[in-house]
Amino acid sequence: MTLTRRIFTLATLATPLLAPSLHAACGYQIDTMLEGLDAPWAFGFAAGGILITERDGHLLWVADGKHQRVSGLATIEVDGQGGLLDLLIPRDFERSCNIFMTYAKAQGRGSGTAVMRARFDPHKTALRDVTTIFEMRKGTSGGRHFGSRLVEARDGTLFVSIGDRGDREQAQNTNSHNGTVIRITKSGAVPNDNPFIDKPDHLPEIWSYGHRNPQGMTLDLKGNLWVNEHGARGGDEVNKITKGANYGWPTIAYGRHYSGRKIGIGTESPGMEQPQHFWDPSIAPSGHMIYSGKQNRQWRGHHFVGSLKFDYIARLKGFKLREVEQIQSDATSRVRDIREAPDGSIWFLSVGNGTLNRLIPS
């Protein structure tokens, strides 16, 4: 892997060290800030720099015009769509030095979504006190549908999305972690107000279930949790997550199987939640950010979702959520992750280009 010359520090966003490459998009300036990334999956801002995960098991630290691989990772199982996946810089990072990552962990003949906690030392570019605080229940093989986004709730607990691992019926099995959003503490313990903590045949970590493959997850400005998830052929969804709720997969869906067969019983069923928005055809959504309005008040509360299939960033808004814009340029090839920087600019990862980019309204 070769990282090329477009390296910038967070402290120099307004005046980069070198002129970034520019991409035309109607009404926007998109700057390519970093090139040469290999299957990038997630990034985060910390200690004046940027951490980036690459699916094949590398964690990169970009700061002060330099880039380095971070040492000390746990063993990563690179398995199809699995590998080193999401990254969370918690609000207390400056005090705790802790970061959290999701990854595919070997489980006998298969692998499963797991959560790693580690202390990050930017001066030594190293991790220490690396601990796996959670791994999903064993029993699934194959390299599909790890889900794997991380969000810190306002109370400091962690939400983790887990895909159905290609075993779709398990998403309705509450004695399985497949197809769920779970909630744990930063030590991996189960919070005592989780919805199923005292219910038999329900795993206590589960917060919601009936998900297919949630690859985007974020909080809105009121602290509510949202996810986006892949459908099959059509039926990608944006869901507002309610404690203990069932989101229907694979009993109900707004798409069809890749073979063309009908999924489940239709689009509705009592006791199952409806999406706030769905796409048909599928856009293959990944990454999800709800904007604060810091640099553009007109976008306050709007949702930004990357499309892996159609190479754009979807902007959605409204009480009845709808897609109102597709932000597209040469820079938006297979958008995997999208986040708001501390200064209110919008950054995103392009898997197709192997780049980290910054978007600013013109």
Side-chain angles (χ1 to χ4, degrees):
M1 180 189 69
T2 301
L3 298 182
T4 57
R5 62 185 179 86
R6 295 188 181 94
I7 309 295
F8 306 94
T9 67
L10 189 59
T12 58
L13 294 182
T15 55
L17 302 177
L18 299 171
S21 63
L22 304 180
H23 300 266
C26 184
Y28 309 100
Q29 175 179 309
I30 300 177
D31 304 335
T32 295
M33 310 303 285
L34 179 65
E35 291 182 328
L37 299 170
D38 183 8
W41 220 92
F43 67 102
F45 302 93
I50 301 172
L51 283 163
I52 304 172
T53 64
E54 294 180 322
R55 190 187 61 213
D56 288 350
H58 304 130
L59 178 63
L60 306 177
W61 173 238
V62 183
D64 299 324
K66 301 176 183 178
H67 57 274
Q68 295 175 276
R69 284 187 183 173
V70 178
S71 62
L73 281 169
T75 302
I76 308 297
E77 182 76 2
V78 180
D79 182 10
Q81 297 171 1
L84 183 60
L85 302 172
D86 205 19
L87 168 72
L88 170 66
I89 312 297
R91 292 187 297 272
D92 67 355
F93 171 78
E94 289 188 6
R95 177 181 58 81
S96 70
C97 300
N98 281 332
I99 65 172
F100 297 84
M101 288 168 282
T102 56
Y103 69 105
K105 184 178 186 295
Q107 297 178 319
R109 295 183 179 180
S111 59
T113 302
V115 181
M116 177 195 325
R117 185 188 67 212
R119 293 182 185 271
F120 172 58
D121 185 341
H123 303 292
K124 295 182 179 179
T125 323
L127 302 178
R128 58 188 176 88
D129 300 334
V130 178
T131 306
T132 296
I133 63 169
F134 168 84
E135 64 177 281
M136 68 182 292
R137 177 167 285 190
K138 299 178 183 179
T140 303
S141 60
R144 293 187 293 163
H145 300 182
F146 289 84
S148 216
R149 289 294 178 189
L150 272 166
V151 166
E152 182 182 14
R154 285 187 171 179
D155 65 2
T157 57
L158 304 180
F159 291 112
V160 187
S161 70
I162 303 173
D164 68 4
R165 298 291 286 107
D167 190 358
R168 55 180 177 265
E169 300 303 327
Q170 290 300 307
Q172 288 296 315
N173 177 7
T174 53
N175 203 30
S176 164
H177 289 120
N178 299 51
T180 64
V181 172
I182 67 161
R183 177 174 174 254
I184 56 175
T185 70
K186 289 177 180 173
S187 66
V190 178
N192 59 16
D193 58 343
N194 269 13
F196 304 121
I197 192 165
D198 294 320
K199 290 192 175 183
D201 297 320
H202 288 69
L203 295 182
E205 298 88 357
I206 294 175
W207 186 258
S208 64
Y209 63 103
H211 301 284
R212 185 173 183 268
N213 190 22
Q215 288 195 355
M217 186 164 65
T218 191
L219 298 181
D220 66 20
L221 304 184
K222 295 182 179 179
N224 300 306
L225 184 68
W226 294 74
V227 303
N228 68 62
E229 54 189 288
H230 291 241
R233 201 176 81 183
D236 295 347
E237 296 181 356
V238 177
N239 285 301
K240 186 177 182 181
I241 302 303
T242 301
K243 178 179 179 178
N246 180 353
Y247 287 83
W249 176 257
T251 305
I252 60 172
Y254 280 87
R256 303 185 76 83
H257 291 297
Y258 295 116
S259 66
R261 291 186 300 112
K262 181 181 177 181
I263 296 173
I265 62 174
T267 60
E268 297 182 26
S269 183
M272 295 184 178
E273 302 296 315
Q274 286 292 300
Q276 301 296 308
H277 180 80
F278 71 90
W279 286 275
D280 189 5
S282 297
I283 70 165
S286 188
H288 197 155
M289 180 270 292
I290 297 177
Y291 189 58
S292 72
K294 193 169 185 178
Q295 285 197 3
N296 184 344
R297 295 291 297 178
Q298 294 181 352
W299 285 353
R300 180 174 171 81
H302 291 195
H303 296 238
F304 290 77
V305 174
S307 168
L308 292 164
K309 183 176 181 181
F310 292 126
D311 302 331
Y312 71 86
I313 297 169
R315 181 167 65 89
L316 304 97
K317 70 173 186 177
F319 180 76
K320 182 174 175 56
L321 200 64
R322 66 192 191 282
E323 184 179 283
V324 295
E325 185 176 18
Q326 297 177 358
I327 300 170
Q328 189 168 31
S329 82
D330 292 342
T332 58
S333 174
R334 289 184 57 77
V335 176
R336 170 66 73 186
D337 195 16
I338 183 163
R339 311 214 177 191
E340 182 177 343
D343 70 346
S345 57
I346 295 172
W347 292 54
F348 64 92
L349 285 172
S350 162
V351 179
N353 296 325
T355 56
L356 177 65
N357 307 275
R358 179 183 62 182
L359 182 152
I360 301 173
S362 297

